[in-house]
Amino acid sequence: MAKSNPLPHHYQSIKARYPVLSDALEDLGCAVRQAGPLDSKTSQLIQLAASAAIRSQGAVHSHTRRALETGASAREIQH
């Protein structure tokens, strides 16, 4: 199934130039998520809040999409 929101160009560019680093960072993220007691929805909502706090527009969009995919409601995201 094709993603409706492709990854940002700058992210794709870095991933293409540094595939080993990109893969290692993705593996680290997976390990952190699997090691903790939080479910995926809660984790995405926390990451969304942190993204908003640092005013990272791309990350806000990404974590909003991921939170919705894990079952977060619009009300939970707004909160």
Side-chain angles (χ1 to χ4, degrees), residues 6-49:
L7 295 171
H9 175 72
H10 65 275
Y11 179 83
Q12 292 178 27
S13 175
I14 291 169
K15 189 171 174 72
R17 286 184 290 162
Y18 306 102
V20 173
L21 176 61
S22 177
D23 290 346
L25 287 172
E26 288 178 14
D27 290 346
L28 175 61
C30 287
V32 168
R33 285 188 297 277
Q34 291 174 357
L38 299 178
D39 61 33
S40 295
K41 180 175 87 170
T42 302
S43 177
Q44 289 303 324
L45 290 170
I46 291 168
Q47 291 178 74
L48 171 57

